[in-house]
């Protein structure tokens, strides 16, 4: 019974398959009939529709956000740039069109033909740019002759404008076309080939905020390329604006102070970590990088021994030289190896085993206490102290200041510097640390490396007696309507715990450096504000004796760090002059000029007749940018150049 | 492992049809993507790799006797339900819907796998189910529940296209098993008010728009109606002989949306015309009829049910996709098997082909 049922079912289902096959055939027949209807009966109708079908999608790039300084002055803006493009499929007679264009606009025919040739092989509706940076006159001529120029289009796109020229070039960075490699990376997943992105500096670090969202327009055009109507449109969203902590006028003066010298300076707010000036000299012109960079200028940048393209303030790592002595001194005070009354007799050199370590002053400094050791930058004092401390205790004091690690400034590729320890040497070279190697470390030589940001942060932490703020460059992000999207909060990233007395003694020494007779930093002295500082001269290579005729790249680096006012510190400055040879002579005056500018700016503005007219750029703290057009297009020099570098 | 005798029984008709369609698809993808600015490997080459991968998987599937699925069926079903739940909980969002599940090494789309698993589950269910003279209403309730759970979860993602396909596949299998007239009438009476409720309360606005656009394409020339109009223009302007390879204006000027995936057929229709379409449709028809033939030749009920299920899956994909492209159905994201660009669809379809091959090869083993 059961088996009979099974067989019956099997037979039934086989019959059903035949029915299903028939149904399938009928359904497919329907498809074929429909295709017959579309492709045979109505084809003329549809062919006409496809002929007239000229919808085109035109992407509209979002305008990048602006970048401004702490007072709201615009540093980076956009201006419209017009270019001449053709749509190949719309062009009937290529040669005639080229001739006509060169006649009407006076553009080079061969150049346009060349660009056209290069873009062959792309989709024929895709615009080819024949000439960029058209003048308004050109645009008008094209518009007037629209009918004679089928297939010709004027494209408008925003171009980055750096109103300060080379001002803060490394900090601001530049934009460029996204590369294939970048398209593959996670950061740029959502980008398309041809998009412009920040390549460097703030432009790169805050790309996500600055870029905005691109939009597009669907246009219906007729056979001659004239736009009939906009079919649909999605609007681009303007990128957010970035307000920096930088003070443009201070930045400008700091850059001017460098002149031709290569180097870096970082000015930092002692009580918040805000970076007020961020200099890497020499600069470059960021606007050149968004277009095609002329080969000779590029070569010029590459061949310059001063490396203009390098961001020295961010990724330059320098031996701090004597500016490191504060760290060694604090380590000594903390470990009770020295105190206020400890003295060392400096006779110009210090012997350890068979080696002799020289003081910079061959005659010696005589009896030297801590204050004098800082003031006159006696090396022997620190050789002896370093020998007693050992490298790891010096390193511990440096690490308490977060030296040897990136401090977390917003820019990419911040370097960490280097604080050597015995363990580090073992790992790196597989060798144990020798006592003799500690002595150069004690005076900031040997393997010690710091970035200018770290130097400034270290000085600020000494000035505020132990609080390490995260140095930062971005004050807030503002959307296109002026609403604040993000505000950088002051962030304490660590505490350098040394006793109040230790800090007091070191700071006293730093005051003496600038203000007492015999101090090495007298060139940073101001007549009205008490400045404390420390000079540093760090060896690039070991060379003996005469400095005469030493090639540029082997000369010593000159450093100077300072904070002011002494009693109630507001800002800290670090200046590095590459191959500047003497900290006191080369770096200290620049620090002095920066401090001068800062404190002049804090006074009520001097009302000189010529000055009053262009004075109104807004209050330091209350500026909120609501309308870009109201912002001054060019960074104004509000303050007179630093006029008082006192000796 | 694989019996030597089996190799002599390889179904060359099946393999030949699939490979031919795949190659036509790759040719078409080449043309459809020429107007794209391509970064990295070209789509048609990637599709070739997908084809090779799909064929390897297909081979792997047919090397193990399909009867093992009988034991695994409910486990697979349970696992898939779990994955569908997981998608809703932690899935990756893409284009407004959550369909993908990130498994660390790769992402999977459980709703796509459900198409295959519902076939296996239903085959298992009806294999042990004896009914004379067609299924009664009572007998239908249990498989209905089996279907409703995953269908509801897929709807929730929301993925109307896949949910519909899963239901259509199940329905086809039920029809194959046979229904009583009373059952059919009762269900029609229930379905119509249900459909109204679904329309009023369950469909998302964009889904409703698609249905409305289909009924009246002029309703929104720019929204989803735009796709239908542009696709019809492409197909219609192809005429009898087509505009020629890589010469279709609609596709080369990129008026078609997703022209290398869901609308690949309209590119083909524009460039190869009615003749080309006829060839392709005959290939697909042969594939479906051959699938049914495999079911007919198979002497065990489980295999027959499996073969009908897989064939139904292919059939509905083909009909819905082509129907959509030529304006017979609303726009739903259903790819044309072996022809549209895309790895997921290729692999699902190839697994199906592997099953058919498996059943076809072993038809003499009983």
């Amino acid at each position: 019974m059961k088996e009979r049922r099974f067989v019956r079912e099997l037979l039934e289902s086989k019959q059903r398959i035949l029915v299903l096959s028939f149904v399938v055939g009928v359904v497919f027949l329907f498809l074929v009939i429909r295709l017959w209807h579309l492709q045979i009966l109505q084809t003329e109708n549809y062919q006409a529709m496809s002929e007239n079908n000229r919808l085109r999608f035109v992407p509209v790039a979002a305008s990048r956000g602006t970048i401004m300084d702490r007072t709201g002055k615009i540093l980076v803006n956009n201006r419209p740039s017009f270019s001449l493009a053709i749509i190949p499929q719309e062009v009937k007679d290529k040669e005639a069109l080229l001739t006509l264009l060169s006649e009407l606009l006076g553009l080079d025919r061969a150049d346009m033909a060349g660009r056209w040739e290069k873009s062959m092989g792309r989709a024929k509706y895709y615009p080819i740019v024949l000439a960029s940076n058209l003048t308004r006159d050109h645009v008008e001529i094209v518009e007037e002759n629209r009918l004679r120029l089928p297939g010709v289009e004027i494209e408008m796109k925003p171009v980055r404008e750096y109103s300060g020229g080379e001002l803060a070039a490394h900090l601001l960075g530049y934009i460029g076309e996204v590369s294939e490699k970048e398209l593959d990376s996670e950061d740029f997943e959502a980008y398309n080939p041809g998009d412009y992105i920040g390549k460097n500096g703030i432009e790169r670090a805050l790309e996500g905020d600055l870029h905005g969202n691109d939009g597009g327009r669907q246009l219906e055009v007729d056979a001659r390329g004239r736009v009939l109507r906009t079919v649909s449109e999605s609007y681009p969203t303007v990128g957010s604006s970035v307000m920096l902590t930088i003070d443009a006028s201070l930045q400008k003066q700091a850059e001017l102070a460098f002149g031709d010298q290569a180097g870096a300076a970082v000015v930092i707010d002692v009580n918040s970590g805000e970076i007020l000036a961020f200099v890497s000299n020499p600069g470059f012109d960021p606007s050149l990088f968004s277009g095609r960079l002329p080969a000779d200028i590029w070569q010029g940048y590459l061949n310059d021994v001063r490396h203009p393209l390098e961001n020295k303030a961010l990724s330059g790592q320098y031996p701090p030289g004597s500016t490191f002595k504060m760290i060694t001194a604090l380590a000594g005070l903390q470990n009770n190896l020295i105190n206020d009354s400890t003295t060392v007799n400096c006779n110009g050199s210090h012997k350890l085993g068979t080696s002799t370590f020289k003081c910079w002053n061959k005659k010696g400094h005589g009896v030297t206490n801590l204050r004098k050791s800082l003031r006159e930058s006696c090396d022997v004092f620190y050789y002896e102290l370093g020998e007693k401390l050992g490298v790891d205790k010096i390193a511990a004091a440096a690490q308490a200041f977060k030296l040897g690690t990136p401090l977390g400034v917003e820019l990419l590729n911040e370097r960490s510097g280097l604080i050597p320890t015995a363990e580090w040497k073992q790992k790196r070279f597989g060798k144990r640390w020798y006592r003799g190697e500690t002595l150069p470390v004690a005076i900031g030589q040997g393997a010690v490396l710091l970035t200018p940001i770290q130097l400034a942060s270290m000085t600020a932490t000494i000035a505020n007696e132990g609080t390490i703020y995260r140095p930062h460059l971005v004050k807030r992000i503002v959307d296109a309507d002026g609403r604040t999207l993000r505000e950088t909060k002051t962030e304490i990233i660590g505490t350098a715990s040394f006793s109040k007395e230790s800090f007091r003694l070191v700071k006293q020494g730093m005051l003496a450096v600038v203000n007492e007779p015999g101090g090495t930093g007298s060139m940073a002295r101001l007549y009205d504000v008490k400045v404390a500082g420390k000079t540093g001269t760090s060896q690039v290579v070991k060379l003996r004796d005469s400095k005469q005729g030493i090639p540029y790249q082997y000369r010593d680096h000159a450093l100077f760090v300072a904070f002011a006012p002494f009693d109630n510190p507001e800002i800290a400055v670090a200046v590095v002059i590459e191959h500047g040879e003497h900290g006191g002579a080369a770096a200290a005056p620049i620090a002095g000029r920066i401090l001068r500018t800062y404190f002049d700016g804090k006074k009520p503005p001097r009302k000189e007749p010529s000055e009053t007219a262009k004075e109104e750029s807004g209050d330091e703290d209350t500026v909120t940018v609501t309308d870009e057009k109201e912002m001054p297009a060019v960074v104004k020099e509000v303050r007179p150049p630093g006029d008082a570098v006192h000796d | 492992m694989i019996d030597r005798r089996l190799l002599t029984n390889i179904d060359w008709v099946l393999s030949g049809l699939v490979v031919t369609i795949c190659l036509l698809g790759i040719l078409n993808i080449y043309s459809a993507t020429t107007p794209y600015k391509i970064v990295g490997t070209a789509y048609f080459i990637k599709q070739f790799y997908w084809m090779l991968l799909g064929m390897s998987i297909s081979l792997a599937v047919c090397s193990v006797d399909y009867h093992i699925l009988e034991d695994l069926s409910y486990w697979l079903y349970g696992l898939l339900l779990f994955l569908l739940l997981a998608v809703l909980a932690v899935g990756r969002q893409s284009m407004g819907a959550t369909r993908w599940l990130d498994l660390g090494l790769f992402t999977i789309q459980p709703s796509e796998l459900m198409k295959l698993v519902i076939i296996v589950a239903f085959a298992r269910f009806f294999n042990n189910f004896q009914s004379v003279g067609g299924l009664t209403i009572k007998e239908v309730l249990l498989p209905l529940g089996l279907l409703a759970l995953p269908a509801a979860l897929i709807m929730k993602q929301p993925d109307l296209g896949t949910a519909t396909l899963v239901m259509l596949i199940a329905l086809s299998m039920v029809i194959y098993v046979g229904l009583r007239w009373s059952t059919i009438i009762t269900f029609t009476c229930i379905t119509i008010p249900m459909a109204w409720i679904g329309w009023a309360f369950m469909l998302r606005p964009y889904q409703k728009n698609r249905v409305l656009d289909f009924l009246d394409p002029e309703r929104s020339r720019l929204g989803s109606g735009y796709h239908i109009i542009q696709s019809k223009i492409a197909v219609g302007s192809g005429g009898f002989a087509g505009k020629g390879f890589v010469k279709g204006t609609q596709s080369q000027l990129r008026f078609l949306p997703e022209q290398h995936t869901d609308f690949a057929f309209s590119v083909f229709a524009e460039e190869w015309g009615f003749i080309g379409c006829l060839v392709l449709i005959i290939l697909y028809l042969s594939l479906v009829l051959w699938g049914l033939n495999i079911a007919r030749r198979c002497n065990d009920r489980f295999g027959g049910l499996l073969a009908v299920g897989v064939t139904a899956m292919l059939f509905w994909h083909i009909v819905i996709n082509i129907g959509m492209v030529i304006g017979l159905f609303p726009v739903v994201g259903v790819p044309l098997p072996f022809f549209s660009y895309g790895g997921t669809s290729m692999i699902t379809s190839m697994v199906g082909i592997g099953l058919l091959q498996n059943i076809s090869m072993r038809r003499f083993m009983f």
Side-chain angles (χ1 to χ4, degrees):
Chain A
M1 176 68 195
K2 204 176 173 190
E3 244 162 60
R4 260 181 60 199
R5 198 151 114 196
F6 176 76
V7 171
R8 196 182 130 199
E9 269 214 19
L10 208 61
L11 287 174
E12 254 183 25
S13 63
K14 293 210 175 201
Q15 273 176 346
R16 237 173 264 131
I17 290 283
L18 290 177
V19 176
L20 287 179
S21 302
F22 179 73
V23 173
V24 166
V26 170
V27 171
F28 273 73
L29 190 63
F30 262 108
L31 294 180
V32 173
I33 291 171
R34 174 71 177 180
L35 281 167
W36 174 271
H37 178 77
L38 289 175
Q39 296 191 296
I40 308 292
L41 299 181
Q42 296 203 322
T43 184
E44 276 173 32
N45 201 351
Y46 283 115
Q47 265 164 12
M49 280 164 90
S50 92
E51 280 299 305
N52 297 327
N53 203 349
R54 287 171 203 273
L55 289 179
R56 188 170 300 131
F57 187 76
V58 182
V60 180
S63 185
R64 271 181 95 79
T66 56
I67 304 177
M68 47 203 161
D69 85 339
R70 61 187 296 117
T71 65
K73 279 180 215 161
I74 303 272
L75 301 176
V76 186
N77 207 344
N78 304 303
R79 73 177 159 77
S81 159
F82 299 96
S83 48
L84 180 79
I86 52 106
I87 313 279
Q89 66 167 359
E90 312 278 349
V91 176
K92 296 258 155 60
D93 186 346
K94 179 181 164 187
E95 297 305 318
L97 180 69
L98 282 175
T99 313
L100 186 60
L101 281 174
S102 65
E103 270 171 22
L104 284 173
L105 305 172
L107 297 169
D108 182 23
R109 191 179 189 283
D111 183 46
M112 289 193 289
R115 290 198 195 199
W116 197 328
E117 211 61 50
K118 241 189 229 163
S119 302
M120 292 296 262
R122 278 203 296 190
K124 285 201 279 298
Y125 70 95
Y126 202 87
I128 299 172
V129 174
L130 295 187
S132 356
N133 287 322
L134 296 188
T135 62
R136 300 244 170 210
D137 290 345
H138 282 146
V139 176
E140 263 172 43
I141 295 171
V142 172
E143 291 301 336
E144 279 163 15
N145 293 282
R146 262 249 157 270
L147 288 177
R148 294 166 66 196
L149 298 169
V152 173
E153 283 191 351
I154 296 290
E155 288 187 344
M156 196 279 276
K157 66 171 189 196
V159 165
R160 239 17 191 168
E161 190 172 53
Y162 298 81
S163 38
E166 297 195 356
L167 184 83
H170 298 92
L171 165 61
L172 299 173
Y174 48 82
I175 62 167
E177 214 170 297
V178 64
S179 71
E180 222 169 276
K181 208 174 139 205
E182 284 162 329
L183 279 173
D184 285 340
S185 75
E186 231 170 73
D187 289 2
F188 297 102
E189 260 178 355
Y191 288 71
N192 293 312
D195 285 354
Y196 274 76
I197 58 158
K199 290 280 187 181
N200 234 313
I202 291 288
E203 294 269 34
R204 170 69 184 86
L206 295 176
E207 166 68 21
D209 294 300
L210 288 165
H211 191 90
N213 290 319
D214 294 346
R217 231 176 296 155
Q218 204 162 34
L219 301 175
E220 193 177 326
V221 294
D222 69 5
R224 307 189 90 177
R226 282 173 302 190
V227 175
L228 297 179
R229 65 195 178 101
T230 303
V231 176
S232 74
E233 192 163 12
S234 66
Y235 294 97
T237 326
V238 179
S240 307
S241 294
V242 174
M243 180 181 265
L244 299 175
T245 57
I246 295 296
D247 182 322
S249 33
L250 186 66
Q251 175 84 18
K252 174 112 190 162
Q253 288 309 316
E255 286 182 14
L256 284 175
F258 270 83
D260 288 339
Q261 300 174 96
V266 174
V267 182
I268 197 168
D269 185 317
V270 165
N271 299 310
S272 67
E274 286 186 353
I275 295 174
L276 301 176
F278 188 86
V279 180
S280 177
N281 210 55
F284 56 86
D285 184 353
S287 62
L288 290 176
F289 285 81
S290 44
R292 251 186 315 162
L293 188 69
D296 54 325
I297 294 183
W298 175 243
Q299 269 310 319
Y301 284 147
L302 288 187
N303 294 340
D304 192 331
V305 288
R306 300 172 303 162
H307 306 297
L309 297 179
E310 204 176 78
N311 188 343
K312 299 182 176 74
L314 179 74
S315 35
Q317 303 186 99
Y318 304 93
S322 303
T323 56
F324 195 68
K325 282 176 180 165
M326 279 88 78
I327 300 292
T328 313
L330 283 168
L333 291 163
Q334 189 189 29
N335 289 293
N336 293 320
L337 293 172
I338 52 167
N339 58 37
D340 198 10
S341 50
T342 313
T343 57
V344 162
N345 191 10
C346 169
N347 57 13
S349 65
H350 175 78
K351 275 205 165 55
L352 179 75
T354 54
S355 315
T356 305
F357 292 86
K358 285 181 184 163
C359 187
W360 68 270
N361 186 343
K362 285 172 204 148
K363 289 177 214 142
H365 291 97
V367 177
T368 305
N369 62 5
L370 174 61
R371 185 186 183 89
K372 185 178 172 186
S373 76
L374 285 168
R375 181 178 72 213
E376 295 173 26
S377 201
C378 172
D379 292 336
V380 169
F381 185 90
Y382 292 93
Y383 289 145
E384 290 200 4
L385 177 55
E387 196 187 326
K388 284 183 214 156
L389 275 167
V391 68
D392 287 345
K393 281 183 181 156
I394 300 175
Q399 280 152 2
F401 280 85
K402 295 255 172 217
L403 303 180
T405 52
L407 293 169
V409 74
E410 289 91 340
L411 300 179
L412 274 63
N413 302 324
E414 186 189 352
R415 303 290 290 270
S416 60
L418 179 63
I419 301 297
T421 60
E423 193 192 337
W424 164 80
K425 193 185 170 194
Q426 190 67 43
K427 261 193 206 152
R428 177 84 172 69
F429 298 105
K431 284 182 188 153
R432 71 177 187 86
W433 185 272
Y434 295 102
R435 257 170 70 197
E437 289 173 306
T438 306
L439 274 53
V441 169
I443 62 160
Q445 291 284 160
V448 186
L449 291 174
L450 295 181
T451 67
I453 294 179
Q454 288 172 330
L455 282 166
S457 164
M458 172 191 88
T459 313
T461 304
I462 292 173
N464 69 29
E465 303 193 348
T467 311
I468 308 168
Y469 293 100
R470 190 171 71 83
H472 57 277
L473 289 156
V474 177
K475 210 172 166 62
R476 63 174 77 103
I477 311 286
V478 187
D479 74 5
D481 300 324
R483 281 181 303 237
T484 298
L485 299 177
R486 277 207 317 272
E487 185 122 33
T488 309
K489 303 243 161 44
T490 301
E491 186 191 337
I492 296 172
I493 54 171
T495 311
S497 321
F498 297 91
S499 70
K500 264 203 130 34
E501 179 64 9
S502 305
F503 275 122
R504 193 186 65 82
L505 289 173
V506 168
K507 283 165 81 174
Q508 284 293 340
M510 291 174 75
L511 184 67
V513 168
V514 179
N515 296 293
E516 284 182 7
T520 53
S522 59
M523 290 179 91
R525 198 183 302 162
L526 302 184
Y527 66 93
D528 52 350
V529 182
K530 267 206 245 175
V531 176
K534 182 72 195 81
T535 54
T537 304
S538 65
Q539 275 185 348
V540 177
V541 288
K542 256 191 188 151
L543 287 171
R544 282 175 210 270
D545 303 322
S546 115
K547 292 244 153 63
Q548 225 71 41
I550 295 175
Y552 172 78
Q553 63 268 35
Y554 298 138
R555 290 178 207 158
D556 293 346
H557 294 316
L559 292 91
F560 192 75
V561 299
F563 66 87
F566 177 76
D567 295 311
N568 193 9
E570 289 176 22
I571 62 165
V573 182
V575 176
V576 178
I577 306 287
E578 285 190 352
H579 315 297
E581 301 200 304
H582 295 288
I590 292 177
R593 186 159 166 192
I594 291 170
L595 291 168
R596 176 79 268 150
T597 311
Y598 175 81
F599 288 106
D600 281 351
K602 289 195 39 138
K603 290 178 191 164
R606 275 177 266 174
K607 296 278 177 192
E608 286 164 40
S610 63
E611 202 92 38
T612 41
K614 46 177 179 173
E615 187 72 75
E616 306 303 330
S617 63
D619 229 335
E620 283 222 341
D621 292 317
T622 53
V623 170
T624 41
V625 180
T626 45
D627 187 350
E628 294 176 11
K629 282 170 203 138
E630 281 176 21
M631 302 310 303
V634 185
V635 178
K636 288 190 234 161
E637 276 196 52
V638 181
R639 286 152 197 139
D643 50 355
V645 180
H646 290 265
D647 276 355
Chain B
M1 204 185 89
I2 187 161
D3 197 319
R4 231 162 230 286
R5 278 175 307 163
L6 285 176
L7 288 175
T8 57
N9 292 332
I10 281 185
D11 191 333
W12 293 109
V13 177
L14 182 67
S15 307
L17 283 170
V18 168
V19 170
T20 311
I21 297 171
C22 278
L23 292 177
L24 282 176
I26 289 168
L27 196 70
N28 188 58
I29 287 164
Y30 171 80
S31 170
T33 54
T34 34
Y36 291 6
K37 237 186 178 181
I38 288 159
V39 180
T41 319
Y43 285 106
F44 76 98
I45 293 178
K46 282 196 210 159
Q47 178 78 349
F48 186 69
Y49 293 153
W50 280 122
M51 178 186 116
L52 292 183
L53 181 67
M55 282 163 64
S56 326
I57 291 174
S58 176
L59 202 68
V61 168
C62 69
S63 67
V64 183
D65 192 328
Y66 64 91
H67 288 95
I68 198 176
L69 287 172
E70 223 180 323
D71 303 326
L72 288 178
S73 55
Y74 290 140
W75 290 106
L76 285 172
Y77 180 81
L79 178 70
L80 254 287
L81 276 191
F82 172 75
L83 288 179
L84 283 172
L85 280 169
V87 162
L88 289 179
V90 294
R92 198 167 59 117
Q93 193 110 27
S94 150
M95 312 207 4
T98 322
R99 294 173 190 175
W100 296 87
L101 195 60
D102 200 335
L103 291 185
L105 274 177
F106 54 96
T107 55
I108 59 166
Q109 208 178 339
S111 52
E112 191 68 25
L113 292 177
M114 198 66 219
K115 291 175 189 165
L116 292 163
V117 170
I118 200 78
I119 296 170
V120 177
F122 265 53
R124 162 76 195 263
F125 182 83
F126 287 117
N127 188 29
N128 300 342
F129 199 90
Q130 303 291 334
S131 84
V132 185
L135 299 165
T136 62
I137 296 176
K138 258 193 199 162
E139 288 165 337
V140 168
L141 286 178
L142 204 62
L144 195 70
L146 211 58
L147 169 66
L149 268 173
L153 287 175
I154 297 171
M155 284 270 210
K156 189 108 181 76
Q157 290 184 358
D159 187 349
L160 187 63
T162 310
T164 311
L165 272 164
V166 169
M167 289 192 281
L168 285 172
I169 293 166
L171 183 68
S172 313
M173 292 177 75
V174 171
I175 287 173
Y176 169 66
V177 172
L179 286 170
R180 277 169 203 259
W181 280 108
S182 60
T183 318
I184 296 173
I185 291 165
T186 317
F187 268 91
T188 321
C189 291
I190 297 173
T191 314
I192 290 170
M194 284 280 281
W196 181 81
I197 291 171
W199 172 262
F201 301 107
M202 285 185 40
L203 287 189
R204 308 260 167 150
Y206 84 92
Q207 292 171 332
K208 283 191 198 179
N209 274 334
R210 284 185 178 179
V211 179
L212 289 175
D213 287 339
F214 156 67
L215 296 173
D216 178 15
E218 297 290 328
R219 194 177 145 267
S220 71
R221 286 193 76 100
L222 292 174
S224 46
Y226 171 86
H227 297 185
I228 297 180
I229 294 173
Q230 294 297 349
S231 177
K232 274 162 76 179
I233 294 174
V235 175
S237 65
F240 182 72
K243 296 179 184 169
F245 186 51
V246 204
K247 293 212 176 98
T249 53
Q250 286 289 101
S251 51
Q252 299 308 319
L253 302 182
R254 292 182 69 175
F255 288 117
L256 293 169
E258 302 171 50
Q259 59 186 29
H260 63 300
T261 56
D262 290 355
F263 283 85
F265 183 79
S266 55
V267 176
F268 186 80
E270 185 183 21
E271 297 185 348
W272 298 95
F274 182 67
I275 290 296
C277 291
L278 207 58
V279 169
L280 192 60
I281 285 187
I282 287 172
L283 284 171
Y284 274 123
L285 178 64
S286 315
L287 180 64
V288 172
L289 292 180
W290 194 254
L292 290 175
N293 188 38
I294 289 170
R296 193 179 58 82
R297 286 191 313 196
C298 178
N299 285 322
D300 90 285
R301 193 174 154 87
F302 181 68
L305 279 160
L306 270 187
V308 168
V310 171
T311 310
M313 178 180 87
L314 295 173
F315 170 78
W316 287 115
H317 272 93
I318 296 162
V319 168
I320 292 178
N321 181 280
I322 296 182
M324 164 185 90
V325 165
I326 60 183
L328 287 174
F329 289 122
V331 176
V332 278
V334 172
L336 190 54
F338 312 113
F339 201 77
S340 293
Y341 173 79
T344 312
S345 154
M346 177 65 87
I347 284 169
T348 317
S349 311
M350 279 294 193
V351 171
I353 294 301
L355 283 174
L356 284 181
Q357 187 71 258
N358 198 332
I359 297 159
S360 180
M361 280 187 336
R362 289 185 174 79
R363 65 182 186 272
F364 304 117
M365 305 295 276
F366 270 86

